[in-house]
Amino acid sequence: MMKDSQMARHYMVDLETMSTASNAAIVSVGIAEYNETDVLRTFYTNVDLKSCVEAGLAVDPSTIMWWIEQASPARAALMKDSKHLTVALTGLATWLQDDGPSNIIRLWGNGASFDNAILASAYKALNLQQPWPYWGDRCFRTVRGEFALDPADQPPRVGTYHNALDDAVTQIHWHQAILRRYNMRLGS
Ligand SMILES: [Mg+2]
């Protein structure tokens, strides 16, 4: 039996990026801690694209063209108060550490090769230690694909499409709906 202090803490992260490669430049990070019923804490930061390119992260013209086609609230939100990549990543690490030891972090992203891999690659590009353990990687896209929800059980979209925090919170609501529907709990 695990002690309370060793209980896993679950986080959903969503990145907005300028490429879909695993070394993509990151333009915003949204992340929220959650449990079976609630969203507990949130963190959001925009990232200065130039600082990503200077760190060697990738920009793909087709992703830039995709962004130009998106709704203006999502594009405008990217421009506000952008932080240097170093400041953004150390800020995220500090926010995670405020909760306790890193070995209990379970980090959910949307796609086994997407958010978590890109974020790990950005920490590596700056020679910073990634603030969650590799065994804490979790894939929400897999869970969503394997545990289908009837339309009546599907939670409504919150906020702005492609706003990283709104996307993360929407995914959390979906995950919580799956847990309810299939009578499951978050893992340890
Ligand atoms: Mg998103």
Side-chain angles (χ1 to χ4, degrees):
M1 186 84 176
M2 271 186 157
K3 290 188 201 126
D4 266 5
S5 61
Q6 293 173 314
M7 292 278 283
R9 294 184 185 275
H10 291 259
Y11 302 83
M12 184 72 73
V13 67
D14 184 64
L15 305 177
E16 300 307 325
T17 64
M18 285 298 170
S19 161
T20 56
S22 61
N23 65 336
I26 297 167
V27 286
S28 65
V29 180
I31 182 169
E33 182 182 359
Y34 64 109
N35 59 22
E36 283 84 0
T37 52
D38 293 298
V39 174
L40 303 172
R41 299 164 70 222
T42 66
F43 175 94
Y44 178 88
T45 186
N46 287 328
V47 184
D48 173 51
L49 180 59
K50 187 161 170 273
S51 69
C52 291
V53 172
E54 284 167 358
L57 302 183
V59 172
D60 181 340
S62 63
T63 308
I64 293 174
M65 296 314 288
W66 179 86
W67 269 109
I68 289 170
E69 291 169 355
Q70 301 311 307
S72 71
R75 284 186 285 114
L78 289 183
M79 311 304 289
K80 256 187 271 169
D81 195 23
S82 293
K83 300 283 194 294
H84 190 283
L85 182 63
T86 307
V87 175
L89 295 189
T90 54
L92 173 58
T94 301
W95 182 82
L96 285 167
Q97 283 155 8
D98 283 348
D99 252 1
S102 68
N103 64 345
I104 61 172
I105 294 173
R106 304 294 176 263
L107 186 68
W108 294 85
N110 200 26
S113 60
F114 201 74
D115 306 275
N116 296 40
I118 291 170
L119 194 56
S121 148
Y123 277 98
K124 198 169 180 193
L126 293 177
N127 286 314
L128 294 171
Q129 191 185 1
Q130 83 175 41
W132 75 96
Y134 70 87
W135 66 84
D137 280 317
R138 297 288 186 273
C139 176
F140 169 68
R141 193 183 289 277
T142 303
V143 171
R144 181 176 173 152
E146 298 300 311
F147 295 91
L149 289 179
D150 293 332
D153 294 325
Q154 295 173 6
R157 166 78 213 183
V158 294
T160 303
Y161 281 93
H162 310 305
N163 172 290
L165 187 56
D166 291 343
D167 284 358
V169 170
T170 298
Q171 288 168 198
I172 287 172
H173 291 165
W174 198 285
H175 195 184
Q176 289 167 334
I178 289 171
L179 296 171
R180 279 194 300 275
R181 164 66 182 77
Y182 291 92
N183 196 24
M184 297 188 294
R185 304 208 21 112
L186 289 166
S188 57

